[in-house]
Amino acid sequence: MKLLTPIIFFSVLISQAPLYGQKISDDSLMKIANHEIYNNPDKAINIGKKLLQKEKDLSRSIKIYLLLSTAGTAKRNFDESLQYILKARELVQKTNDPKIQTSFLIAAAMQYQQMELFSKSLETLDEADEYREKLSEDSYLKHFETARSFALRGMIYKSQSNPEIALQEFLIAIKNFEKIKEKNKTYFNQSIIYYNIGYCYLNLNQLENAGTAFIKSMSLADLIKAKSLQAFALKGLAEMNKQKHQNQEALALLVKAETLGNEAGDLTLNEGIYKEMADNYLAMGKAPLYQVYSKKYFETKFKREQNELSSINHAIDVHNTETQKKSEKVITRYNYFITAAIIIGLSVLSIFLYFVVKVRKQNRKYQDEIQKLIRS
């Protein structure tokens, strides 16, 4: 995941409307939870769990589980996130609604992408696209899920060192987000995409384009006060300055990014910041500070990898269970086929023997009649 910004945020639909009155509705609580996924994922999880305790509606329960999964990923607790995805899937299997199926499958694909199970993520996206095609062409959800799908594919191509192809996917995602009338609901998503566009340009050594993309990402994040996204954008600008050998400028940006990112507790963000700070201090010949941030980098990286390893092991177990179920279905179908073939074969054989016996009896009867005619 290294330089990848968390794709998890694509599943969040944010509303900035202020809340008034003493009683807070469930819809308002959902909006609060969605808004806190970045800056305070624990608060989002607490709200989600309380909503689940009294929620009876299938569709809303699925949305809450997806929110909990997203918040878990925001904390880099991938195992917890996967658990919520699996619970959501149990409910999804009870409905054929293409809206629910599409949103769930893309959320699951994001989870696989976060764990770097790219082939599984792409496979899930292909499945989601089948349901997405059934959505109304001009609907909000069609544009939103189309954008998420292309953005996620862009993330995967970017992580596989294909920045040119990734850029094409990201630009298609941006176009689809721009088709949505409620622009404020896409600021999070577009901020993330522009951040990743910036890194694609960095990898292509197009520094001016990279800087433009990072600034665009930061301005969108600022509109919705998303501190974590602002921190990611600042880190990107710092890397651009590092490539220009402007180490002092890069460090100033990283210090701001570290301050903004402290509240979110995003291990991937902190890992990236510490690595960049260590690299810049090393380039400036400040060995003591290099050692301090190098140590922080390795400690954070180890913690992130441990969290991911636990989740990946769980995902492998789930995959093996699914594979076993599919194998059992194939074996069951094979057994049904063999049984049916045997029954049909026996039936045909029985019919054949019946006619054989019948013909023989008729032949014997004819022979007897012929013999009688001969004797007479």
Side-chain angles (χ1 to χ4, degrees), residues 106 109 121-129 149 152-153 156:
I106 291 180
S121 181
L122 290 171
E123 176 188 330
T124 306
L125 279 177
D126 289 340
E127 187 179 354
D129 288 343
S149 180
L152 186 51
R153 291 178 190 276
I156 293 171

Side-chain angles (χ1 to χ4, degrees), residues 72-301:
T73 308
K75 293 173 57 181
R76 301 297 159 181
N77 190 335
F78 295 108
D79 193 48
E80 179 183 6
S81 176
L82 184 62
Q83 294 294 330
Y84 289 125
I85 282 286
L86 295 176
K87 290 179 179 179
R89 185 176 64 178
E90 292 177 5
L91 299 180
V92 170
Q93 291 172 346
K94 299 178 181 179
T95 177
N96 290 320
D97 187 337
K99 296 179 181 179
I100 295 175
Q101 293 281 359
T102 302
S103 297
F104 165 74
L105 287 169
I106 291 180
M110 290 176 186
Q111 175 68 31
Y112 292 129
Q113 181 270 339
Q114 286 288 303
M115 294 185 292
E116 297 187 355
L117 302 173
F118 299 133
S119 60
K120 184 67 174 176
S121 181
L122 290 171
E123 176 188 330
T124 306
L125 279 177
D126 289 340
E127 187 179 354
D129 288 343
E130 295 178 10
Y131 288 100
R132 181 169 57 83
E133 290 302 317
K134 299 177 183 179
L135 302 177
S136 175
E137 284 298 324
D138 295 327
S139 68
Y140 169 91
L141 191 63
K142 180 69 173 279
H143 297 317
F144 185 80
E145 297 299 11
T146 300
R148 289 209 301 166
S149 180
F150 277 102
L152 186 51
R153 291 178 190 276
M155 293 285 186
I156 293 171
Y157 289 127
K158 173 174 166 288
S159 66
Q160 294 175 331
S161 301
N162 291 313
E164 295 94 345
I165 300 176
L167 274 172
Q168 295 174 13
E169 304 294 303
F170 287 139
L171 292 175
I172 294 173
I174 288 291
K175 287 181 180 179
N176 277 276
F177 276 128
E178 289 176 346
K179 293 178 182 178
I180 297 173
K181 295 179 180 179
E182 303 89 338
K183 299 298 182 184
N184 63 312
K185 292 184 178 180
T186 69
Y187 291 154
F188 266 109
N189 310 299
Q190 291 193 63
S191 174
I192 295 164
I193 295 174
Y194 277 113
Y195 167 83
N196 281 275
I197 287 174
Y199 269 105
C200 287
Y201 282 128
L202 273 185
N203 292 332
L204 294 170
N205 201 33
Q206 298 180 25
L207 301 186
E208 288 188 11
N209 288 334
T212 300
F214 287 132
I215 290 171
K216 179 69 173 178
S217 173
M218 188 162 58
S219 64
L220 287 166
D222 186 56
L223 288 173
I224 46 178
K225 308 302 178 185
K227 295 180 181 179
S228 181
L229 291 183
Q230 292 178 57
F232 270 108
L234 286 167
K235 183 173 74 71
L237 285 170
E239 290 195 46
M240 183 193 70
N241 281 309
K242 184 183 73 173
Q243 288 193 21
K244 292 181 178 180
H245 305 291
Q246 299 172 348
N247 303 107
Q248 193 61 53
E249 291 84 348
L251 281 168
L253 292 169
L254 290 168
V255 169
K256 292 180 181 178
E258 184 181 18
T259 301
L260 287 170
N262 279 338
E263 293 182 18
D266 188 321
L267 293 177
T268 296
L269 172 61
N270 291 335
E271 176 187 342
I273 291 172
Y274 295 146
K275 181 181 184 304
E276 288 303 307
M277 294 184 85
D279 289 347
N280 280 283
Y281 281 126
L282 181 63
M284 295 172 68
K286 297 183 178 181
L289 287 171
Y290 163 75
Q291 292 175 354
V292 169
Y293 283 98
S294 181
K295 181 181 179 182
K296 287 185 176 183
Y297 162 67
F298 283 112
E299 289 175 348
T300 308
K301 180 182 179 182

Side-chain angles (χ1 to χ4, degrees), residues 1 76-80 82 111 114-117 301-317:
M1 291 164 207
R76 301 297 159 181
N77 190 335
F78 295 108
D79 193 48
E80 179 183 6
L82 184 62
Q111 175 68 31
Q114 286 288 303
M115 294 185 292
E116 297 187 355
L117 302 173
K301 180 182 179 182
F302 177 77
K303 186 176 180 180
R304 174 185 60 78
E305 289 176 344
Q306 290 299 111
N307 288 345
E308 292 174 4
L309 182 61
S310 174
S311 180
I312 290 172
N313 287 337
H314 198 132
I316 291 172
D317 291 339

